[in-house]
Amino acid sequence: MNKPEQLRSYSFILATLRYRKLIAFLTRIVIAFRMKKVILIFGMSRSGTSMLGKFLSLGKTSIYMHEPETELMKQHFGPDRHYTQQNFWDFVHAEVPTELKVHTLVCISLFAVLKAPFFSKAIVIKPISFVEVIGESSEALTNANIVYICRHPAGRSESILRQLQHDQGIEEISLEALEQISQDWGRTNKTIKELHRKNPKWLWVFFEKLTGDPVTEFKKLYTQLGLPWNQSIADEIEKSTTGMDGGYYNIQRDSRKQADKWRNSLTAEQIESVRKGTLPFETDLYESF
């Protein structure tokens, strides 16, 4: 989308918010009528959502949309409001109500299905960290496929530490802050587990399994989602998950080294802080560490 299209799309989203149930109903009809498979990727930040979305859309009949709502929501600032990355994230996480987040995802799905060429069969949408509205999004788009990816709390924490160093030059954070990050992980995944029990059609995948044997595990996912699999897809995944790392935000890396990287990167004190943060939530997602 160019900037005028982004502005028109954002204006449409705001103008139709009060009619969101009708728009969701129409979107479900359009998805069915155009025979498109919409796949929504959810997960906490630094959990492998970008890798998951990219690799699920390698087929020639698939379209990948990476965080499409980012550019739309930037329209909130306009020419008369000061935009910074921090202002944007403060707006997204603190000011955007649940119904607007869900409606934005619904409208993005509607726009994508309407604009998709005839030959396309699947549209894979990886939103920004909208994991808190996974349940409401599933209710609004009942014929969309929901995939949730979970990563070990220590692995995610280690990735966040590297992100802070890469983006902001922050070399370390307090053990208390690390414990709070892990509490957020525990709270979120306990909630998602409860929602998953009520929505067994959702696919729950583990970062560690995907990175441990990516070709095998993604072939299983393609089958579960009804996506066509071929050797060129397998070759591309193998190529992207072996060899040298391509940089912090690049999915090109030796995937088999990712799952347990935290064991050598975090100190014993940091690992204990992560463990303490997750304990109260009793998610039982990972063995004791």
Side-chain angles (χ1 to χ4, degrees):
M1 282 188 192
N2 55 38
K3 289 191 177 297
E5 287 178 319
Q6 291 168 3
L7 181 58
R8 288 195 296 270
S9 297
Y10 187 65
S11 298
F12 175 86
I13 291 170
L14 294 180
T16 58
L17 180 60
R18 68 177 67 182
Y19 309 113
R20 57 188 177 277
K21 291 185 178 180
L22 174 61
I23 297 298
F25 173 71
L26 293 175
T27 301
R28 295 193 296 269
I29 290 177
V30 171
I31 291 172
F33 179 75
R34 297 215 67 199
M35 295 184 291
K36 305 298 184 187
K37 185 183 297 291
V38 174
I39 301 171
L40 300 178
I41 306 296
F42 288 95
M44 300 188 74
S45 62
R46 313 313 310 157
S47 292
T49 51
S50 295
M51 171 195 68
L52 179 59
K54 183 68 175 178
F55 288 170
L56 282 180
S57 56
L58 291 175
K60 293 183 178 180
T61 59
S62 296
I63 297 171
Y64 178 50
M65 301 181 69
H66 181 82
E67 302 181 355
E69 73 278 37
T70 301
E71 294 303 319
L72 294 181
M73 288 192 170
K74 283 181 181 178
Q75 303 305 313
H76 163 79
F77 294 90
D80 58 338
R81 298 185 183 180
H82 181 56
Y83 170 79
T84 65
Q85 190 174 43
Q86 186 60 51
N87 286 347
F88 171 76
W89 288 114
D90 288 345
F91 165 67
V92 169
H93 293 303
E95 298 182 41
V96 180
T98 295
E99 57 267 24
L100 180 54
K101 291 180 181 179
V102 176
H103 185 55
T104 298
L105 268 181
V106 168
C107 288
I108 286 172
S109 301
L110 175 62
F111 301 154
V113 171
L114 288 174
K115 293 179 67 175
F118 176 77
F119 69 86
S120 67
K121 302 298 181 184
I123 301 169
V124 182
I125 302 174
K126 183 266 172 187
I128 51 180
S129 190
F130 273 9
V131 68
E132 70 274 15
V133 297
I134 184 173
E136 293 87 347
S137 300
S138 180
E139 290 177 3
L141 295 172
T142 52
N143 53 350
N145 296 267
I146 305 293
V147 185
Y148 178 76
I149 184 169
C150 180
R151 186 177 188 177
H152 193 290
R156 176 176 181 263
S157 296
E158 188 273 340
S159 183
I160 290 174
L161 289 177
R162 286 189 290 112
Q163 182 182 42
L164 291 172
Q165 183 179 17
H166 180 276
D167 292 353
Q168 302 178 39
I170 298 174
E171 294 296 331
E172 61 179 278
I173 62 174
S174 68
L175 295 178
E176 291 76 15
L178 202 55
E179 187 173 335
Q180 289 178 358
I181 290 172
S182 302
Q183 288 173 355
D184 185 38
W185 181 96
R187 186 181 303 109
T188 298
N189 280 288
K190 182 176 182 178
T191 300
I192 302 300
K193 273 193 70 176
E194 293 170 354
L195 288 171
H196 186 224
R197 291 192 193 98
K198 300 175 183 177
N199 299 273
K201 290 185 178 180
W202 295 359
L203 293 183
W204 181 301
V205 298
F206 287 97
F207 174 87
E208 292 74 23
K209 288 194 70 174
L210 288 183
T211 56
D213 189 356
V215 173
T216 299
E217 293 302 320
F218 272 99
K219 184 177 181 180
K220 292 178 184 176
L221 266 181
Y222 269 66
T223 300
Q224 289 174 298
L225 291 167
L227 298 173
W229 175 268
N230 56 51
Q231 189 58 44
S232 65
I233 295 173
D235 291 343
E236 182 60 30
I237 292 176
E238 180 68 23
K239 176 183 174 183
S240 297
T241 55
T242 54
M244 298 290 291
D245 286 1
Y248 183 77
Y249 287 108
N250 197 312
I251 64 170
Q252 171 67 50
R253 59 192 63 204
D254 187 341
S255 69
R256 293 160 185 82
K257 295 179 180 179
Q258 302 306 309
D260 291 328
K261 181 185 288 186
W262 59 271
R263 296 185 185 276
N264 296 319
S265 301
L266 298 179
T267 66
E269 291 80 9
Q270 289 174 323
I271 293 173
E272 178 60 19
S273 291
V274 173
R275 190 185 70 84
K276 284 173 60 180
T278 62
L279 276 179
F281 300 96
E282 300 179 337
T283 63
D284 297 323
L285 290 171
Y286 292 91
E287 295 180 3
S288 179
F289 63 97

